[in-house]
Amino acid sequence: MMTDTLKHATSTTSLAELAKAHAHTAMASTAGHDMAHLERVHRVAMMLWEQEGGDREVIEVAAWLHDLVNLPKDHPNRRDASTLSAEAALTWVGERMSSEQRDLLFEAIQRHSYSASFVPESLEAKIVCDADRLDALGAVGLMRTLETGGALGRASFHTDDPFCTAREPDDGVFTLDHVFAKLFKLPAMLHTDAARRVARRRIAVMEDFLKALGDEVGHPYSR
């Protein structure tokens, strides 16, 4: 059956534009993963493409469709979400991409996942992965972390040791611990020089926030 997205397409509608429209109707939003997230990932992916190269159409479509199957952080099958998204994207794309592009699209979507521990190999997959990971950093990254922690009912931070100075981070209990358990590790896991430059600026924003928080709660922050 033809989807509504395809019914209203014109001869000048690009596949990336169709993918965006499809994501609007098909994606199940959860805390931290909504259309605003896709908009940001797409924008950053295009910025990385301009500096790094690659197949633009693959990168754009992958950016829009990378979260088609979006499972909550605490879902037991969370690690399978990116593979399921990749399969759903290929089904939707059908024969409107070449065989080579389809392979690149599948890899770019499947291997963007942090939780699944995939390693992207193609430039297109590296760019989509980096764009997604950059959205976990900076001011937006902190907002997404707080939103997700609140949705899962976690405490904001450990009142005696908010910055995991004398304990291992436990982001299953304390929201702020996610910064130390995952987010500060992301810059070392980026694949492109352009993404690493963005990450340095965003990490600085996060550290400024932690310093201000430390001053307010009586636990000076240092890294």
Side-chain angles (χ1 to χ4, degrees), residues 22 26-28 33 38 61-71 77-93 105-113 118:
H22 180 62
M27 194 180 95
H33 290 83
L38 297 187
V61 173
W64 288 124
L65 302 183
H66 76 277
D67 276 341
L68 274 181
V69 178
N70 184 23
L71 302 176
N77 296 327
R78 171 75 179 177
R79 291 169 59 88
D80 299 326
S82 66
T83 297
L84 296 172
S85 292
E87 292 171 350
L90 283 192
T91 298
W92 179 82
V93 167
L105 180 68
F106 187 91
E107 183 200 353
I109 295 177
Q110 182 195 46
R111 299 193 182 191
H112 86 274
S113 173
F118 289 116

Side-chain angles (χ1 to χ4, degrees), residues 7-41:
K7 285 179 183 177
H8 298 293
T10 68
S11 60
T12 59
T13 305
S14 72
L15 187 57
E17 291 172 319
L18 291 174
K20 177 182 179 179
H22 180 62
H24 265 286
T25 59
M27 194 180 95
S29 296
T30 61
H33 290 83
D34 52 16
M35 277 306 301
H37 167 67
L38 297 187
E39 295 275 359
R40 293 189 301 269
V41 170

Side-chain angles (χ1 to χ4, degrees), residues 9-199:
T10 68
S11 60
T12 59
T13 305
S14 72
L15 187 57
E17 291 172 319
L18 291 174
K20 177 182 179 179
H22 180 62
H24 265 286
T25 59
M27 194 180 95
S29 296
T30 61
H33 290 83
D34 52 16
M35 277 306 301
H37 167 67
L38 297 187
E39 295 275 359
R40 293 189 301 269
V41 170
H42 173 262
R43 179 176 59 80
V44 172
M46 290 298 94
M47 180 270 291
L48 297 179
W49 167 79
E50 289 175 353
Q51 299 182 53
E52 302 286 345
D55 186 316
R56 174 171 182 155
E57 185 171 59
V58 168
I59 293 168
E60 282 204 89
V61 173
W64 288 124
L65 302 183
H66 76 277
D67 276 341
L68 274 181
V69 178
N70 184 23
L71 302 176
K73 293 285 187 183
D74 57 349
H75 194 284
N77 296 327
R78 171 75 179 177
R79 291 169 59 88
D80 299 326
S82 66
T83 297
L84 296 172
S85 292
E87 292 171 350
L90 283 192
T91 298
W92 179 82
V93 167
E95 300 304 316
R96 287 171 290 156
M97 277 185 163
S98 68
S99 176
E100 180 182 0
Q101 283 184 310
R102 285 169 56 86
D103 289 344
L104 289 172
L105 180 68
F106 187 91
E107 183 200 353
I109 295 177
Q110 182 195 46
R111 299 193 182 191
H112 86 274
S113 173
Y114 176 93
S115 59
S117 301
F118 289 116
V119 178
E121 296 181 1
S122 69
L123 177 57
E124 291 78 9
K126 290 176 180 178
I127 285 175
V128 174
C129 180
D130 283 0
D132 183 67
R133 290 179 179 179
L134 284 173
D135 203 51
L137 301 178
V140 167
L142 287 170
M143 291 180 66
R144 292 178 66 207
T145 297
L146 295 172
E147 178 188 9
T148 300
L152 295 173
R154 295 169 182 167
S156 296
F157 56 85
H158 190 295
T159 55
D160 295 326
D161 187 5
F163 308 125
C164 306
T165 303
R167 62 185 179 84
E168 290 297 315
D170 185 355
D171 57 358
V173 177
F174 303 106
T175 298
L176 191 63
D177 282 21
H178 191 61
V179 172
F180 305 96
K182 175 183 175 182
L183 303 190
F184 276 164
K185 298 177 181 178
L186 292 180
M189 301 172 68
L190 297 173
H191 303 91
T192 63
D193 290 337
R196 285 187 281 268
R197 288 192 292 271
V198 176

